Amino acid sequence: MKIDLNLPLFPTTSVGSFPKPKYLAEARSQFYKKEISRSELLELEERATREFVELQNRVGLDVLVDGEAERGDMATFFAERLGGFEISEPVRSYGNRFYKKPRIVSEIEFREPMTTHFFSLAQKLTEKPVKGMLTGPYTMMDWSFDEHYSSREAVVHAFAKVLRAEAIELQKAGCKIIQIDEPALSVRSDEIELAAEGLKLVLDGLEMYSITHICYGAFEHLAPKIKLLPVDQIDLEFAGRDFELLEQLRGHEFPQDVGFGVFDVHTHKITPQKEIEKNIEKALEFFQPKQIWVDPDCGLKTRTLPESEEGLAEMVVATKKLRDKN
């Protein structure tokens, strides 16, 4: 449901994850070796969350995230907290990156809120809105081994049910913006109707501004049907593809707002302010100014914290310059 967020033109935000500080990466390893307690790890996750919010406040983002200090893999995190799962040994996701793929072994069940603690912590540290962040039902389905349900549709429906319960908990906690990540959709455009159905089941009737983030993949196949996604905003990776996605979207209906990725997160090079200004101007050739939100291409977890801060600061300055022109 689109609501008035009272944000400036070209709202600035980040996509979700921030780089894990060294002390937190070490603590997580110690926790899995049973060298520290869950409460000791939680204390350090909370410390990192405070640091992430301070960084975002410093650079002047309009919409903040909690930074996902408590999350490792975006699918396994939720599977470990839901009923009905066992976790596999690590499998390759891409390149040299691995994750522990969830195995669905019985009915998926919601046990307790999974993300509200860190959302609430972050929201208390800023007067600006903080996004709630979930991994979508389609991606959770596609990135899990199904050893219980009879079809992909049945798994999406099961995930949608528990993720809706989590979204309701976020709304109760005061969340006004919810982002549901669906990266798996970009490589399975033939199932966009199923992904759209899952999103609708999660979001229907909730009083939050909704976003779905999609990255990678063959967007030339996704573009003709992107209007089917029942969200207020679709956040896409543009800069890392040298903005070829704009041409792929040309001529296709795009009624939603757009999260416009203006700098590549897969390089250590900092995109300067003037280049980001030019990148945003490219968006204005395709979208109305009020449709455009400005952010990096994807999460920042593969960058360093100084790189993240510098990149976001350049982005904020560039956006403010363009607000004055529009």
Side-chain angles (χ1 to χ4, degrees):
M1 176 186 291
K2 201 162 187 176
I3 60 175
D4 184 10
L5 297 169
N6 195 29
L7 296 171
L9 189 65
F10 309 137
T12 55
T13 188
S14 68
V15 175
S17 62
F18 271 77
K20 300 290 192 296
K22 184 177 180 181
Y23 67 78
L24 183 55
E26 291 174 347
R28 182 155 292 142
S29 175
Q30 291 175 315
F31 173 72
Y32 284 116
K33 294 176 184 176
K34 298 183 178 181
E35 295 174 355
I36 63 172
S37 68
R38 181 71 190 91
S39 62
E40 289 174 306
L41 177 61
L42 176 63
E43 184 177 342
L44 293 174
E45 291 169 340
E46 291 174 341
R47 172 185 163 186
T49 301
R50 288 191 288 271
E51 291 171 0
F52 295 154
V53 174
E54 289 169 4
L55 183 157
Q56 293 171 87
N57 278 328
R58 275 198 305 273
V59 301
L61 292 181
D62 300 304
V63 175
L64 279 60
V65 296
D66 65 31
E68 302 181 6
E70 79 284 17
R71 307 187 200 188
D73 174 75
M74 61 187 293
T76 308
F77 170 82
F78 290 97
E80 288 175 335
R81 288 157 178 79
L82 294 166
F85 286 90
E86 293 180 4
I87 306 300
S88 74
E89 292 301 311
V91 298
R92 188 186 300 274
S93 56
Y94 65 92
N96 289 320
R97 297 192 177 277
F98 293 78
Y99 76 109
K100 294 182 177 180
K101 191 165 182 173
R103 293 172 49 228
I104 307 168
V105 296
S106 62
E107 184 176 351
I108 300 171
E109 296 179 340
F110 181 80
R111 289 175 169 169
E112 60 184 1
M114 299 172 281
T115 64
T116 55
H117 176 78
F118 286 92
F119 163 79
S120 297
L121 173 60
Q123 190 62 81
K124 288 175 184 176
L125 297 169
T126 182
E127 295 179 356
K128 297 177 178 179
V130 174
K131 291 190 286 189
M133 309 288 298
L134 305 179
T135 302
Y138 182 83
T139 294
M140 288 297 301
M141 175 277 295
D142 198 58
W143 290 2
S144 300
F145 292 122
D146 175 24
E147 302 174 11
H148 176 74
Y149 292 92
S150 60
S151 67
R152 291 168 70 82
E153 290 80 5
V155 181
V156 168
H157 289 184
F159 273 121
K161 181 180 178 180
V162 296
L163 292 171
R164 178 175 178 80
E166 182 67 15
I168 289 171
E169 293 296 329
L170 282 166
Q171 183 170 278
K172 288 178 183 176
C175 181
K176 292 180 169 49
I177 306 173
I178 186 167
Q179 179 175 309
I180 302 178
D181 294 332
E182 289 287 18
L185 178 57
S186 64
V187 295
R188 292 300 302 266
S189 57
D190 58 309
E191 291 190 321
I192 189 171
E193 290 87 353
L194 177 56
E197 185 178 347
L199 288 170
K200 187 176 189 302
L201 289 170
V202 175
L203 294 167
D204 196 32
L206 298 183
E207 297 180 356
M208 291 187 279
Y209 179 90
S210 59
I211 303 168
T212 191
H213 172 68
I214 308 170
C215 53
Y216 314 117
F219 279 93
E220 64 271 21
H221 303 300
L222 188 64
K225 295 183 177 181
I226 207 162
K227 64 184 178 183
L228 298 177
L229 297 175
V231 291
D232 298 314
Q233 179 194 137
I234 300 175
D235 183 59
L236 297 170
E237 174 188 320
F238 285 92
R241 299 163 170 265
D242 198 25
F243 300 92
E244 65 179 20
L245 179 53
L246 283 171
E247 289 300 326
Q248 293 171 0
L249 293 172
R250 187 186 292 276
H252 298 297
E253 186 180 355
F254 199 109
Q256 304 95 337
D257 293 343
V258 61
F260 195 75
V262 294
F263 70 85
D264 187 359
V265 300
H266 302 294
T267 174
H268 294 285
K269 175 181 174 291
I270 303 300
T271 307
Q273 165 209 325
K274 290 193 177 298
E275 186 176 335
I276 292 177
E277 283 185 56
K278 292 177 182 177
N279 292 344
I280 301 171
E281 287 171 343
K282 293 173 185 174
L284 290 167
E285 298 176 18
F286 291 80
F287 304 101
Q288 295 298 313
K290 289 184 178 181
Q291 280 184 281
I292 299 169
W293 287 44
V294 178
D295 60 7
D297 267 351
C298 201
L300 295 163
K301 65 180 181 181
T302 61
R303 303 280 63 84
T304 66
L305 280 169
E307 287 170 348
S308 300
E309 181 163 2
E310 187 176 354
L312 292 171
E314 293 289 315
M315 183 183 81
V316 167
V317 172
T319 305
K320 288 179 177 177
K321 294 275 188 181
L322 279 182
R323 282 176 190 157
D324 295 338
K325 297 178 183 179
N326 289 273

